[in-house]
Amino acid sequence: MKKLIVCGLMMLALVSTGKVTAADKALQIEGSTTVGPIADAFTESFNKTYPDIKITVTKNGSGNGAAALIDKRCDIAMMSRFMKLEEFTSAVDKGVMPVAHTIAMDGICVIVHPSNPVTELSVQQIHDIYIGKIKNWKELGGPNMPVVVVSRDTSSGTYETFDHFVMKKVKMDESVEYVSSNPQVHSRVKTTLGAIGYVGIGFLDAEVKGLKVNGIMPSKETVANGTYPLSRPLFLFTNGYPELGSLSYTFCTFYLSEKGQEIIEAKGFVPVTHY
């Protein structure tokens, strides 16, 4: 049944491609820095088919994306977490009905400097690092080196997911450094010997080292088979279900097309058709 539903949606998406109405001239997209690379690549592909349509992608965090959709300042909100109850309530109060489109699966990867000999941590050890209970890598079998702890800021969907899975709503230590995007976490960790941070799996590369969590290596395979413990869906949110044939509809269902899935794979994420 799952395969039939997916095939049906894919056919619907393919049929819709190329039927964007003449009234669609621009699309405002805002939110998650994790989803941002997918939206950028979708936009690049769309611009080849619809060169007269202007698509703007602003990457400033899931919370800001939700706020922009609620205030009707964007057509599509990119979010690496589901919308919160208070955001739904605020949206409905303003006449906005958020609809979620799940476009890919992601794993939150805990990363360290490539020279760090530590290869794995448990969720409890990561929790203890972020609350300041563990302050030196020698406590984890590593070198005698202070742990430099890096986190996404609180407007981030990645932060919200990490807070849910790892922190369990316990406050992070005052020494934790907060940055506003996945690239900033990646940059801080790759240039700091004692650093630890977390990013979406699409940002994992040879310049940083991804750690096993509870003995499971973060990969597209372990995210797809559900064994990696820090996995999550990625979303596009619209105000109501987009009108068939509209630019918003075509953009939000593009992930079901062959090209859309190729883009998601190329960006390092897991297509929902593989999950």
Side-chain angles (χ1 to χ4, degrees):
M1 179 60 73
K2 178 183 176 183
K3 289 184 176 179
L4 288 174
I5 293 173
V6 170
C7 288
L9 290 171
M10 289 179 67
M11 291 180 65
L12 188 60
L14 290 171
V15 166
S16 71
T17 303
K19 291 186 177 180
V20 174
T21 64
D24 289 308
K25 291 297 182 183
L27 197 63
Q28 293 286 338
I29 303 171
E30 185 168 339
S32 166
T33 66
T34 302
V35 183
I38 297 176
D40 282 339
F42 279 14
T43 298
E44 183 179 353
S45 180
F46 267 59
N47 284 339
K48 294 177 182 176
T49 306
Y50 311 110
D52 296 332
I53 292 175
K54 183 180 180 181
I55 302 177
T56 302
V57 179
T58 302
K59 300 179 282 287
N60 55 5
S62 297
N64 290 318
L69 186 73
I70 293 168
D71 293 338
K72 301 180 182 179
R73 290 184 280 107
C74 73
D75 304 293
I76 299 173
M78 304 179 289
M79 298 189 67
S80 60
R81 61 167 172 78
F82 202 75
M83 195 167 280
K84 299 176 183 177
L85 177 59
E86 54 267 33
E87 291 169 334
F88 265 110
T89 302
S90 178
V92 172
D93 288 345
K94 295 185 178 182
V96 173
M97 183 57 67
V99 171
H101 310 263
T102 308
I103 63 167
M105 292 296 298
D106 183 25
I108 295 179
C109 303
V110 178
I111 58 173
V112 297
H113 191 274
S115 66
N116 192 324
V118 173
T119 58
E120 64 180 289
L121 295 172
S122 67
V123 170
Q124 185 61 52
Q125 288 172 319
I126 300 167
H127 176 274
D128 289 347
I129 289 172
Y130 275 83
I131 65 171
K133 185 176 180 180
I134 295 175
K135 293 183 176 294
N136 193 297
W137 284 106
K138 68 181 180 182
E139 300 175 67
L140 300 162
N144 183 10
M145 179 169 59
V147 182
V148 179
V149 189
V150 183
S151 172
R152 293 295 308 281
D153 60 35
T154 57
S155 67
S156 159
T158 304
Y159 169 89
E160 295 279 358
T161 306
F162 187 84
D163 186 54
H164 171 76
F165 282 127
V166 178
M167 301 310 296
K168 312 293 185 186
K169 305 301 180 183
V170 177
K171 186 178 179 181
M172 292 183 179
D173 187 66
E174 292 182 352
S175 64
V176 173
E177 298 180 15
Y178 294 92
V179 297
S180 60
S181 69
N182 281 286
Q184 287 181 318
V185 175
H186 181 279
S187 178
R188 183 72 168 115
V189 172
K190 80 174 183 181
T191 57
T192 309
L193 295 179
I196 185 171
Y198 55 89
V199 294
I201 196 169
F203 296 87
L204 186 60
D205 59 23
E207 294 184 312
V208 294
K209 182 165 77 175
L211 301 181
K212 291 181 180 178
V213 176
N214 289 353
I216 306 297
M217 181 63 77
S219 69
K220 288 191 280 189
E221 289 73 25
T222 57
V223 170
N225 64 29
T227 57
Y228 186 64
L230 307 181
S231 300
R232 58 171 175 177
L234 302 177
F235 303 98
L236 298 178
F237 274 85
T238 54
N239 177 10
Y241 197 79
E243 181 181 356
L244 295 180
S246 67
L247 180 56
S248 290
Y249 173 82
T250 308
F251 196 94
C252 287
T253 57
F254 190 60
Y255 71 98
L256 289 168
S257 69
E258 183 176 352
K259 181 61 178 177
Q261 291 176 70
E262 287 177 0
I263 288 173
I264 289 169
E265 286 261 24
K267 293 300 174 184
F269 298 100
V270 180
V272 291
T273 46
H274 296 184
Y275 186 66

